[in-house]
Amino acid sequence: MAEAATSPHTAAPRTAVGFAYDRDALHCDDVLIADIVREVGTPTYLYSAATIAIRLRTLTAALAGTPHALHYALKANSTLALVTMMRTLGARADANSVGEIEVALRAGFAPGEILFTGVGKARAELERAVTLGVYAINAESAGELERIDAIARAQDRRARVALRVNPDVDAETHPHISTGQRHNKFGVPLEDAPALVRAMHARAGLHVAGLHVHLGSQMMSLEPIMRAAAAIVGVARALKAEGVPLDHLDLGGGLGISYDGTPGPDPQAYAAILGAAARDTGLSLIVEPGRTIVGPAGALVARVVDVKPHQAGHFVVLDAGMTELLRPALYGAFHRIVPVTRRHAPAARCDIVGPVCESSDILGLARELPLPRVDDLLAILDAGAYGSAMASNYNRRPLPAEVLVQDGRWRTIRRRQTIDDMLAGEL
Ligand SMILES: Cc1ncc(COP(=O)(O)O)c(C=O)c1O
């Protein structure tokens, strides 16, 4: 790794990508994190632009043999500058609400580059999507198809619609982010899909764009996606044999990342499964990755505000918690937590917790690290996905600042929320 960049906002020779130590100081893309935090304060999300670019290009290259479109799932992280960056890197957009559609538009995406997914789309959201002419709406039920059809006919249009199929396959992930089993609220049962697609064709307000499946998020095994792909390919082939035309096969997102530093699933193998499925049907492929692109590119940097002993170790209390990063409290998710400046001292058992008035406000239990002191900085790694996007104002805590590190420089892409921002809509 090159000599540390010591001055924020200035270019430095860049040789390391992502979060790495140079001697005892943690850097992001070779920029000294302590320097950034001195100006921006804590808690702050830091993103490595180089990591995002590499991960997006790796997946795109792995899919190169298959006609495809990569729609970045905004739900993973919809901070405007990052969404804009996805566009400049050649991605399209996958939005889960009209709010995400508006962010995608402001990031410069054309309506025809935006997919609209989501299990409960309000009428006003459907109207906006139809009026804009988004690339496709992933429909979740027969009732939703009817509503889209009526809205489109009232505007004398045909809305492009894909049918979300629930293949009843266990994604082998946390139950809260598993979406493709019969008992989950998502999509229509596989066996109902052919009749629904035929009925869609008969509707004057709909253009049947394709079939959609999204099994779940943080999938570490590729076996479930293989089974889901086989199921949906079966439906697509049967429809083709009947002469029912489709444009694309949307196999969703969900590729997992490693949160503990061990190797994660291989994007090449993942792309090979998706590509084979698309080729089997002769349809073009759509993918909706989120976490795999931005997860490892982000870290949440927080300051130690208190250290106190307990029976079995120490509580290390940070100025960030479940309000900034909900995943550990929500799913029991594991994130590596490392010092921004390493201390050379014996390891102690640390229970790293947040400041929020909830006992579930835990970031990491039983971590072995040299006992931090008040005002030390810790970095919670792999926090780029479902981190800032899930942050809240609970306990009237302001949303954190966000910083993008790019080409040896850094800039604030979201300033820390103020109490005035927070109260702006209150009467
Ligand atoms: C329909 C849909 N597409 C794409 C994604 C993105 O998933 P991931 O971030 O795991 O790639 C999600 C998230 O669960 C989703 O619900």
Side-chain angles (χ1 to χ4, degrees):
M1 197 171 172
E3 276 304 296
T6 51
S7 169
H9 301 300
T10 59
R14 208 198 75 221
T15 54
V17 167
F19 297 87
Y21 285 100
D22 179 11
R23 291 174 288 265
D24 288 328
L26 191 64
H27 291 64
C28 174
D29 289 0
D30 273 356
V31 177
L32 189 64
I33 291 178
D35 273 351
I36 300 175
V37 168
R38 196 168 300 124
E39 271 196 45
V40 182
T42 54
T44 292
Y45 274 100
L46 298 183
Y47 304 105
S48 148
T51 302
I52 292 174
I54 288 170
R55 297 187 72 86
L56 193 96
R57 290 194 180 120
T58 301
L59 189 54
T60 305
L63 289 167
T66 309
H68 74 277
L70 186 154
H71 288 250
Y72 166 67
L74 267 75
K75 62 174 70 71
N77 189 317
S78 58
T79 300
L80 186 59
L82 297 189
V83 180
T84 306
M85 189 178 160
M86 300 301 169
R87 180 178 58 73
T88 58
L89 290 168
R92 297 177 176 208
D94 170 37
N96 203 63
S97 68
V98 91
E100 288 186 355
I101 290 179
E102 301 301 342
V103 171
L105 291 172
R106 287 180 195 206
F109 285 102
E113 296 173 315
I114 302 172
L115 274 175
F116 185 23
T117 319
V119 75
K121 305 180 196 76
R123 193 177 300 279
E125 292 186 298
L126 290 174
E127 275 165 359
R128 177 77 172 135
V130 171
T131 308
L132 280 169
V134 297
Y135 180 71
I137 301 173
N138 287 332
E140 294 269 347
S141 69
E144 188 171 272
L145 287 169
E146 255 175 53
R147 288 188 289 280
I148 300 169
D149 179 47
I151 292 166
R153 279 189 291 112
Q155 297 185 17
D156 210 13
R157 291 166 178 264
R158 267 183 195 271
R160 291 175 55 84
V161 176
L163 183 65
R164 180 166 184 177
V165 174
N166 181 325
D168 196 23
V169 171
D170 182 358
E172 297 170 19
T173 182
H174 191 284
H176 292 184
I177 47 175
S178 175
T179 55
Q181 285 180 279
R182 199 169 285 278
H183 61 265
N184 297 130
K185 64 185 173 182
F186 302 92
V188 301
L190 193 69
E191 59 274 18
D192 296 352
L196 272 171
V197 172
R198 279 182 226 114
M200 286 160 77
H201 264 291
R203 288 185 179 271
L206 304 183
H207 169 89
V208 185
L211 295 172
H212 173 232
V213 69
H214 171 75
L215 260 199
S217 196
Q218 185 51 13
M219 290 188 289
M220 296 302 277
S221 159
L222 297 178
E223 170 73 15
I225 189 74
M226 207 184 291
R227 290 204 284 138
I232 199 169
V233 163
V235 176
R237 289 173 68 130
L239 286 166
K240 192 176 177 186
E242 282 179 36
V244 180
L246 298 171
D247 302 336
H248 72 245
L249 204 58
D250 178 347
L251 295 179
L255 184 62
I257 60 169
S258 167
Y259 280 97
D260 62 7
T262 59
D266 174 19
Q268 313 290 337
Y270 172 70
I273 292 169
L274 306 190
R279 279 192 298 280
D280 248 17
T281 57
L283 301 176
S284 69
L285 174 70
I286 287 183
V287 287
E288 304 168 349
R291 185 190 310 267
T292 186
I293 308 294
V294 287
L300 173 62
V301 180
R303 192 175 293 280
V304 176
V305 295
D306 199 9
V307 179
K308 57 182 179 183
H310 64 70
Q311 279 170 332
H314 287 80
F315 288 116
V316 175
V317 189
L318 303 186
D319 65 359
M322 65 193 294
T323 36
E324 288 71 30
L325 182 62
L326 185 58
R327 299 188 65 260
L330 189 62
Y331 313 129
F334 177 91
H335 284 262
R336 287 175 292 163
I337 303 177
V338 299
V340 168
T341 306
R342 279 198 289 229
R343 286 184 184 286
H344 294 278
R349 181 198 141 133
C350 300
D351 291 329
I352 300 167
V353 300
V356 174
C357 193
E358 299 280 338
S359 292
S360 59
D361 183 27
I362 291 165
L363 290 167
L365 288 180
R367 302 303 175 86
E368 296 288 330
L369 64 159
L371 189 63
R373 298 187 196 152
V374 169
D375 285 334
D376 278 5
L377 298 171
L378 296 183
I380 301 142
L381 301 182
D382 305 308
Y386 307 100
S388 86
M390 285 188 176
S392 82
N393 284 139
Y394 184 41
N395 278 199
R396 287 292 194 185
R397 293 173 52 73
L399 297 177
E402 296 181 48
V403 164
L404 181 65
V405 181
Q406 192 162 25
D407 298 329
R409 299 167 190 273
W410 64 270
R411 66 189 166 100
T412 300
I413 54 171
R414 186 176 187 165
R415 66 170 168 76
R416 189 176 310 289
Q417 197 180 34
T418 64
I419 189 73
D420 287 335
D421 296 334
M422 207 189 293
L423 292 174
E426 298 192 27
L427 307 175

